[in-house]
Amino acid sequence: MPDAAKSVLFVSLPEAGLVNGMIVLARETARRAAVDVWFATDEPQRTRIESGDGLTFASLGEVVPEMSAQSWDEKVYRQVTGRSRFRSHHAVLKHGFRPLRWQEKYRRLESWVDKVNPAVMVIDCEARFAISLAIAREIPYVLMVPFLPSYLVASHVPFARSYVPRGFPVPFTGLPLHMSLPQRLTNRLFKAWTLAVLLDPRIGRWLRVDLDFHKSIGIPPPAGLTQVDRAALVLCATIAELEYPIALPKNVRTVGAILPPLPERSDGDLEAWLDSRPSTVYIGLGTLTRLTRAQVAAVVEVARRLDGAHQVLWKLPASQREMLPDALPGNLRVETWVPSQLNVLAHPHVTAFVTHGGGNGFNEGLYFGKPMVVRPLWADNHDVAVRGQDRGVSLTLDDPHTIDPDDLADKLTRVLGDPAYRERSAQFGALERKAGGRATAADLILALPQLTGGAAAEQTQ
């Protein structure tokens, strides 16, 4: 059993897709081990973290708008989620790379590290300031990755070191493993375009600011594979069978979806509604999706076409409900929020899942064996969508930006009507459960020599 004086410090950005799995893992770590578990993130997550379960909240201050996709204005949102995957990637770099803001978070976290003196840090892979601090202080750290492994181990620019084969799809391209000649050309150009973006004068100024800061703390900026190579562990919340074949470094482990103990708190009325309906399509497009009035109308039309054969449960944010038409089909139930998406996906009467292709939601859908239709929103969503389609567990909309009712209705009819999609999804669900999720992840963290005080744990890495 670890020494009670030892501490583990979790660090995460406050975005739901990053922090949710981290909180689940932190609670599991605190539940099973005699270590002090601290959780550093921004103020909006304070109440969740202070609600018991052995966690101590360490505030990193208020959310920095430039570092939060949820606070982007409409213009930036449209740029980041635009049709061109390269322009989208450029927009993410341009609007998200703010080294002065990262330095503010670094200094706040530094004060907590001085207080906590952690034996190990567990860091969400997007919290770059925390990775820099762990390296500068020589604190062993674990990277938590809610994305495909290739997101971290494939190069984004030409000539950079990589763990994937030559010609492997560059992250964010949404390209398949087996490409046509035009796709191979696009794949090569994407790296060159990314390098060109880094030569943009404004980004160049920020890179110099970032370089100067890292010089001041005595390390080079931990870019690319440095973050992976320096980590004690890298835990990916997915399964190796979803990713294209790559030889991962031995410190990188795929542990499957990080889920809390189930079932979660339920809504009795919603549970009864699902119980009484033998086939329900669940639509949950993530916390960042902002639909237009035309897109909302398209989804309503698809529900109308499914009436008589399938029910539709749609989680639609309050800010977008005013775009709903006055008359809705009788088989459509719209909820601003559901107490537990996991409870919904676990229900045996939910027969398909329409998702934006976020790593967490997609792996949750797989965990419960649900065939999916993907409307990718941005960034890694395109990569997840193409892998799901290639694995035979999902289909992807032809044009996610318009949401053509004919296309969405056709894709849903296919995944609902072809037993092969259910069978393959069930097979992947078994693999997700075998991977172990939060239990496996906690085992690997608590087996680190810095927490056990012995060398035997190195055999688990």
Side-chain angles (χ1 to χ4, degrees), residues 238-255:
T238 186
I239 50 176
E241 293 81 2
L242 179 61
E243 178 61 282
Y244 292 142
I246 52 178
L248 294 174
K250 68 177 183 179
N251 66 331
V252 178
R253 302 288 293 268
T254 54
V255 297

Side-chain angles (χ1 to χ4, degrees), residues 299-307 311-312 324-334:
V299 174
V300 172
E301 172 59 24
V302 170
R304 184 172 286 111
R305 296 184 189 184
L306 295 176
D307 201 0
Q311 305 294 311
V312 177
L324 288 167
D326 293 333
L328 298 178
N331 68 326
L332 174 60
R333 175 168 177 159
V334 181

Side-chain angles (χ1 to χ4, degrees), residues 174-415:
L175 291 170
L177 182 62
H178 303 294
M179 304 180 206
S180 65
L181 181 59
Q183 287 174 327
R184 290 200 296 271
L185 179 60
T186 298
N187 197 47
R188 291 183 181 181
L189 287 174
F190 202 90
K191 287 187 177 183
W193 290 334
T194 301
L195 182 61
V197 168
L198 298 177
L199 299 176
D200 177 287
R202 185 166 68 165
I203 293 182
R205 289 194 297 272
W206 292 335
L207 286 170
R208 287 192 293 274
V209 168
D210 192 50
L211 179 61
D212 290 343
F213 173 73
H214 281 87
K215 282 184 178 178
S216 74
I217 61 174
I219 63 169
L225 290 180
T226 302
Q227 302 175 50
V228 174
D229 293 340
R230 294 292 297 269
L233 273 174
V234 180
L235 303 178
C236 298
T238 186
I239 50 176
E241 293 81 2
L242 179 61
E243 178 61 282
Y244 292 142
I246 52 178
L248 294 174
K250 68 177 183 179
N251 66 331
V252 178
R253 302 288 293 268
T254 54
V255 297
I258 304 291
L259 307 184
L262 299 173
E264 296 185 295
R265 180 176 61 88
S266 65
D267 178 332
D269 177 65
L270 180 57
E271 291 285 336
W273 187 85
L274 289 170
D275 288 343
S276 65
R277 286 153 174 82
S279 178
T280 297
V281 173
Y282 173 58
I283 303 176
L285 295 174
T287 57
L288 300 180
T289 297
R290 306 177 193 176
L291 297 177
T292 65
R293 189 173 297 275
Q295 291 165 345
V296 169
V299 174
V300 172
E301 172 59 24
V302 170
R304 184 172 286 111
R305 296 184 189 184
L306 295 176
D307 201 0
H310 307 281
Q311 305 294 311
V312 177
L313 173 63
W314 185 8
K315 185 177 73 173
L316 184 67
S319 60
Q320 298 171 54
R321 283 185 68 113
E322 60 90 20
M323 292 186 283
L324 288 167
D326 293 333
L328 298 178
N331 68 326
L332 174 60
R333 175 168 177 159
V334 181
E335 295 286 344
T336 300
W337 190 249
V338 295
S340 170
Q341 175 167 285
L342 298 175
N343 283 359
V344 170
L345 289 172
H347 200 285
H349 290 175
V350 172
T351 49
F353 178 26
V354 181
T355 173
H356 69 296
N360 291 327
F362 195 90
N363 280 280
E364 289 164 7
L366 284 184
Y367 184 93
F368 294 108
K370 308 301 179 182
M372 288 171 273
V373 174
V374 185
R375 187 237 175 196
L377 180 65
W378 67 329
D380 68 300
N381 300 171
H382 300 288
D383 301 330
V384 169
V386 73
R387 283 158 176 77
Q389 186 154 308
D390 282 355
R391 297 300 187 232
V393 298
S394 65
L395 291 172
T396 305
L397 294 187
D398 294 336
D399 185 356
H401 296 86
T402 59
I403 308 187
D404 178 3
D406 292 338
D407 183 33
L408 178 53
D410 172 65
K411 297 293 194 309
L412 277 170
T413 300
R414 288 165 61 186
V415 301

